[in-house]
Amino acid sequence: MLWTGATRYPGEDIVVHGRDEVSRLLVHAVSLGASDVIFQSGRPVLASVHGHLCALTRVWLQPTTLARVATELTSTDSIMSKLYSGQDFDRAITIEDRTGGSRDEELIQHRFRINVTAGYYEGDVGVQIVCRHIPAEPPTVATLGVEGELVAESTPAQGAVVIAGETGSGKTTTLAALMRRVLEEPTPIHGNVLSYEAPIEFVFENVPSASCTVMQHEIGLHLPSFAAGVRNSLRRKPSLIMVGELRDMDTIMASVEAAQTGHPIYTTTHANDVAHILRRLTLKFPADLQTQAFHDVLSSTHLLVSQLLVPRVGGGRVCLREWQVLTDRVRREVARAGMADAVDTLRAIIGRGEDGRSMRATVMAALDQGAIDVSTARRVLDRYGYRDARLAA
């Protein structure tokens, strides 16, 4: 039975039995330009191609099939017991591409971040496996189209560079491009680059560098938490610390300490726009600690970025970004406003276009260049709370 909720991409009508068929499907999805592949109980295998779901198989996956696939992909015999006990599995894996080339040629390897989670299915337990494709090499700022003004502010002597956005908005990809620039190009940052990720996605061991060495660590495998990772880095003379996500109070506190003691930090968080990042991080603290936390985060942050992936005219997707450099003048203005008025104050500062760019300016530039259409521009401006007379219906 074909799932009617998705377009079908024919050519690989595979019945999933085990790892070999899964590998063929993942390789086929890469050839289609898919960003994610989803295996789910009671659904065909689905791929997200430029933000749209398509079905890769006709056959709906049964729970026994998903259990076998989960076991083989994770190389963990006890994976189903872990899922039934409320645990999930999040790790990066490598799939070999055996579809072409001679035996003497080196096999192409595709890297995926996989998450396996149990859920409801027909009154019992089902499984969903999401496989996110990670390109073989970290991207460059040029290939991602990261704006020159933003790149110029991305290597501070100290302080955090925080990139915000929804899941799947390319935060990790942008950070990877900024890290690759540090390794390959002459920047103020040189020495020991340390990253703490959950899991490791882009691999930097093959990126040449004349001024840096890089070591990557997987949280849950090499160290117990992001906070422990940051504390670990401070004993190793770091020149740059990459923290996968500011997901809790302990990680934020450790990152603030690292930034305040003279270290640049690259990290991500979930926030709707630049103006909400500081508030979002501060709310991770108990009420009686939030005022101090607000000022600590403000004083230790150098650059705030928010980004969103949207459909590009002609196919593919384009990344739209807004950002604000927290200069001393900006910090003083936001500090005077206080936590209660920080969002409105930052929004006004961003709107002035000094040491930053609003999403409104980015959207209108992309519209003028023909990269996005009017409906996309309206949707993004509405999401970010902007209005523009040129786009009035």
Side-chain angles (χ1 to χ4, degrees):
M1 182 184 299
L2 177 63
W3 184 47
T4 57
T7 303
R8 184 163 184 273
Y9 277 70
E12 290 284 338
D13 200 11
I14 300 170
V15 177
V16 180
H17 293 296
R19 189 179 178 94
D20 287 345
E21 291 83 11
V22 171
S23 297
R24 287 174 60 195
L25 278 169
L26 292 176
V27 169
H28 179 55
V30 170
S31 72
L32 297 175
S35 60
D36 299 271
V37 181
I38 302 172
F39 299 82
Q40 179 175 330
S41 304
R43 291 287 185 272
V45 180
L46 301 171
S48 178
V49 181
H50 305 315
H52 299 284
L53 282 181
C54 63
L56 297 183
T57 64
R58 291 184 179 277
V59 177
W60 291 38
L61 301 174
Q62 298 303 309
T64 53
T65 302
L66 263 295
R68 185 167 59 250
V69 171
T71 300
E72 295 188 6
L73 276 181
T74 62
S75 300
T76 304
D77 292 337
S78 61
I79 183 63
M80 296 309 296
S81 296
K82 292 182 178 180
L83 296 178
Y84 292 152
S85 67
Q87 301 178 57
D88 70 342
F89 181 95
D90 200 34
R91 193 67 55 81
I93 64 169
T94 299
I95 297 293
E96 292 184 341
D97 186 346
R98 299 178 178 273
T99 59
S102 66
R103 288 188 177 182
D104 296 333
E105 293 179 351
E106 185 175 349
L107 289 173
I108 298 173
Q109 294 188 327
H110 300 292
R111 191 168 172 81
F112 292 85
R113 172 179 178 168
I114 66 170
N115 178 275
V116 188
T117 308
Y120 176 86
Y121 176 65
E122 293 187 347
D124 202 345
V125 179
V127 175
Q128 185 181 77
I129 306 171
V130 179
C131 305
R132 171 161 295 177
H133 179 237
I134 306 167
E137 292 187 358
T140 65
V141 292
T143 57
L144 293 186
V146 183
E147 295 81 354
E149 309 98 295
L150 194 157
V151 171
E153 294 290 347
S154 68
T155 52
Q158 68 180 67
V161 174
V162 184
I163 300 181
E166 62 188 22
T167 300
S169 61
K171 301 184 296 296
T172 301
T173 303
T174 299
L175 274 190
L178 295 177
M179 282 187 62
R180 180 168 180 170
R181 175 175 176 264
V182 168
L183 297 177
E184 291 186 322
E185 300 180 18
T187 75
I189 297 175
H190 50 83
N192 196 17
V193 176
L194 302 173
S195 81
Y196 301 90
E197 306 166 63
I200 293 171
E201 296 192 18
F202 293 97
V203 176
F204 293 90
E205 60 184 10
N206 294 322
V207 177
S209 180
S211 59
C212 296
T213 184
V214 60
M215 187 70 175
Q216 296 177 260
H217 311 79
E218 184 160 318
I219 300 304
L221 182 63
H222 303 129
L223 288 160
S225 66
F226 284 118
V230 178
R231 289 191 289 268
N232 166 269
S233 72
L234 297 180
R235 298 189 287 269
R236 299 166 64 185
K237 194 175 174 56
S239 59
L240 173 65
I241 306 167
M242 200 282 269
V243 184
E245 183 184 348
L246 296 178
R247 61 172 55 164
D248 54 51
M249 182 182 72
D250 288 343
T251 304
I252 297 169
M253 289 175 61
S255 299
V256 165
E257 179 186 356
Q260 290 179 337
T261 53
H263 303 92
I265 310 285
Y266 282 177
T267 189
T268 74
T269 191
H270 294 277
N272 291 331
D273 56 22
V274 162
H276 280 86
I277 295 176
L278 296 180
R279 180 174 176 81
R280 169 83 175 182
L281 297 178
T282 301
L283 291 177
K284 301 281 188 181
F285 291 75
D288 60 329
L289 299 178
Q290 287 178 3
T291 299
Q292 183 61 51
F294 170 76
H295 289 284
D296 287 344
V297 172
L298 175 63
S299 67
S300 62
T301 302
H302 172 73
L303 175 64
L304 299 173
V305 184
S306 173
Q307 64 179 49
L308 187 67
L309 285 174
V310 299
R312 181 190 293 275
V313 171
R317 292 192 289 178
V318 60
C319 187
L320 304 178
R321 300 182 183 90
E322 75 169 5
W323 67 88
Q324 181 63 50
V325 180
L326 298 188
T327 61
D328 289 341
R329 180 190 58 77
V330 169
R331 287 196 187 97
R332 287 194 297 270
E333 188 172 346
V334 175
R336 283 195 301 269
M339 179 181 167
D341 296 320
V343 172
D344 291 339
T345 302
L346 266 171
R347 189 165 279 162
I349 292 170
I350 297 166
R352 296 201 297 258
E354 301 170 7
D355 299 303
R357 180 193 287 183
S358 70
M359 184 57 77
R360 180 186 178 280
T362 295
V363 166
M364 300 312 294
L367 186 62
D368 290 341
Q369 294 163 6
I372 62 174
D373 58 25
V374 171
S375 63
T376 298
R378 285 179 181 149
R379 178 170 59 85
V380 176
L381 291 181
D382 184 64
R383 176 194 176 107
Y384 277 75
Y386 291 107
R387 297 290 184 270
D388 194 286
R390 291 169 53 187
L391 302 181

